[in-house]
Amino acid sequence: MWRDAFCSNSINKMAMYCKVVSSFLILSCLGGCSSQEGPLYAPPEFGCERSGKFELLTGELPVGNVTDIWEYGPVLIVQGSGGGFLFHVFDKRSGEPLCGFVRNGRGPGEAVSLLNAHLGEDGVFTCYDYRARNVLTVHADSMLARGVAAVATERYEMPDCCRAIVPLDGKRLYMNRTVVKNEHTETISRLELKDAGNRVVSRYDTYPAVDREILLRIYGLPPFAVSPDGRRLAVGTLTGGILETFSLERGIEPLATRYLVEPHVSTGEAFAFDEREVNCFVDLFATRDRIYAPYDGELRVKEFFETPVERRPLQFHRIAVFDWDGHALERITTDWNIRAMCVGADGTIYAALYDNLSRIFLGRIVPSEGEEAL
């Protein structure tokens, strides 16, 4: 009898324990999925703070809508429209314009609307035209020697919801806009890795813990960067500050998600700024061991745009540096707004800069003697 009573008591205790654990897990899951207050968001605490002054390489560029910049050997390649070209090449020491490539058009070596562009460690430059459904490739050395004639064009179909494609050693990484699933996107994931035969070998379909209405506004085309060896991916947000990192070595595996600044957006039908809205990542650049970003995280966007142009403060003039676990390492405060940036092999920072009149310039910050390369 004592044995039966003991067993019955143990079973009751175990049942109660399971109920408590189950309730805790459910509450934890709900909190993790929906909570955006309290400790979930924490501003980055940088271990090192320093200042940097840009040396201008050029006068105002006849280029608009600059979206990216790369260093390759003795040159800088800038993505932006101007003079009939979508890419422009400059001497990285003197700033002298050298040539342009990929004309705006529908012929061979031309493009209408680009998704993104990628410069690999092998010197192959790739860009995708989503309207003409083409992929354009050129080796940077051939482009410098032969100009537009070196650009090859191939037909290439891509999903309508695709926002970026990155070639990765025989595979391609697709970044898709799938916050809202419909008949065209229900079988497509947020991130997909496809092999040479266009077969999906890995997929990832999870977003950070943010309300769905806000996801619609902040993950249309988020800034991203892939490490030079193609092994890691970083994704940030312009509105609010969320930084995600992924390993691409054995598929698509999340490494870290850092909630830095809570995103606040107006979700009404008419466009309007939320009073609390703050911008953070306007661009990302990656090396093998670090992530760099022109970063704000402080100015209220509504207040900024309500300020007369001539009195607006610098906005994206700080460069935030993180490791691949999302830990804040360093913040460099500069004297210019930064639209896009890259870091050279010797640690020099190159950037497309802009002033309050939206004029674009190229500049650089050279490491001081004895300073550790970035």
Side-chain angles (χ1 to χ4, degrees), residues 143-206:
M143 178 270 298
L144 292 173
R146 300 170 51 209
V148 295
V151 181
T153 305
E154 288 183 58
R155 187 73 178 168
Y156 189 79
E157 290 296 333
M158 57 199 80
D160 289 336
C161 62
C162 185
R163 292 296 178 266
I165 305 174
V166 182
L168 298 171
D169 191 24
K171 299 184 180 68
R172 284 187 171 102
L173 173 68
Y174 287 73
M175 303 182 67
N176 303 311
R177 188 175 187 271
T178 58
V179 175
V180 176
K181 297 287 187 180
N182 56 44
E183 60 181 339
H184 302 295
T185 63
E186 60 184 8
T187 60
I188 298 173
S189 298
R190 176 191 176 195
L191 301 174
E192 294 180 331
L193 200 57
K194 296 185 179 182
D195 62 16
N198 211 35
R199 294 179 292 268
V200 177
V201 297
S202 183
R203 62 176 80 238
Y204 183 83
D205 206 19
T206 300

Side-chain angles (χ1 to χ4, degrees), residues 48 115 156 188 290:
C48 175
L115 283 179
Y156 189 79
I188 298 173
R290 295 185 182 183

Side-chain angles (χ1 to χ4, degrees), residues 25-294:
L25 291 176
I26 291 172
L27 289 172
S28 298
C29 179
L30 290 175
C33 293
S34 61
S35 174
Q36 298 176 38
E37 303 295 338
L40 180 61
Y41 288 90
E45 296 182 2
F46 296 97
C48 175
E49 297 264 5
R50 65 183 176 94
S51 60
K53 185 176 178 61
F54 274 105
E55 170 195 352
L56 289 184
L57 294 172
T58 69
E60 179 185 356
L61 298 183
V63 178
N65 193 29
V66 171
T67 56
D68 219 334
I69 182 172
W70 300 265
E71 180 208 43
Y72 180 77
V75 303
L76 297 175
I77 302 172
V78 176
Q79 181 177 355
S81 57
F85 292 101
L86 299 178
F87 298 95
H88 308 265
V89 184
F90 300 85
D91 185 289
K92 74 177 186 183
R93 297 192 181 279
S94 67
E96 177 187 359
L98 300 177
C99 65
F101 66 102
V102 182
R103 292 186 184 275
N104 199 335
R106 293 183 175 273
E110 299 178 342
V112 181
S113 298
L114 296 180
L115 283 179
N116 65 296
H118 176 75
L119 179 62
E121 281 192 306
D122 57 1
V124 175
F125 196 85
T126 310
C127 56
Y128 297 85
D129 184 344
Y130 69 89
R131 290 196 185 277
R133 291 296 198 266
N134 289 328
V135 55
L136 291 80
T137 56
V138 60
H139 195 285
D141 291 335
S142 299
M143 178 270 298
L144 292 173
R146 300 170 51 209
V148 295
V151 181
T153 305
E154 288 183 58
R155 187 73 178 168
Y156 189 79
E157 290 296 333
M158 57 199 80
D160 289 336
C161 62
C162 185
R163 292 296 178 266
I165 305 174
V166 182
L168 298 171
D169 191 24
K171 299 184 180 68
R172 284 187 171 102
L173 173 68
Y174 287 73
M175 303 182 67
N176 303 311
R177 188 175 187 271
T178 58
V179 175
V180 176
K181 297 287 187 180
N182 56 44
E183 60 181 339
H184 302 295
T185 63
E186 60 184 8
T187 60
I188 298 173
S189 298
R190 176 191 176 195
L191 301 174
E192 294 180 331
L193 200 57
K194 296 185 179 182
D195 62 16
N198 211 35
R199 294 179 292 268
V200 177
V201 297
S202 183
R203 62 176 80 238
Y204 183 83
D205 206 19
T206 300
Y207 285 89
V210 177
D211 288 344
R212 200 162 194 77
E213 284 296 315
I214 295 178
L215 284 177
L216 286 170
R217 302 298 178 94
I218 68 176
Y219 281 100
L221 185 58
F224 73 94
V226 173
S227 62
D229 55 11
R231 295 182 178 182
R232 291 172 178 170
L233 165 72
V235 180
T237 59
L238 173 62
T239 302
I242 301 174
L243 178 65
E244 299 171 273
T245 59
F246 301 86
S247 170
L248 303 176
E249 293 188 72
R250 294 180 298 275
I252 304 170
E253 301 175 338
L255 294 175
T257 300
R258 300 294 176 183
Y259 297 87
L260 308 176
V261 177
E262 183 176 358
H264 294 284
V265 299
S266 174
T267 56
E269 293 184 6
F271 176 81
F273 289 116
D274 186 283
E275 295 283 350
R276 300 162 295 174
E277 185 173 342
V278 172
N279 284 341
C280 288
F281 299 100
V282 72
D283 183 39
L284 291 178
F285 177 81
T287 64
R288 291 175 184 265
D289 59 351
R290 295 185 182 183
I291 302 163
Y292 300 82

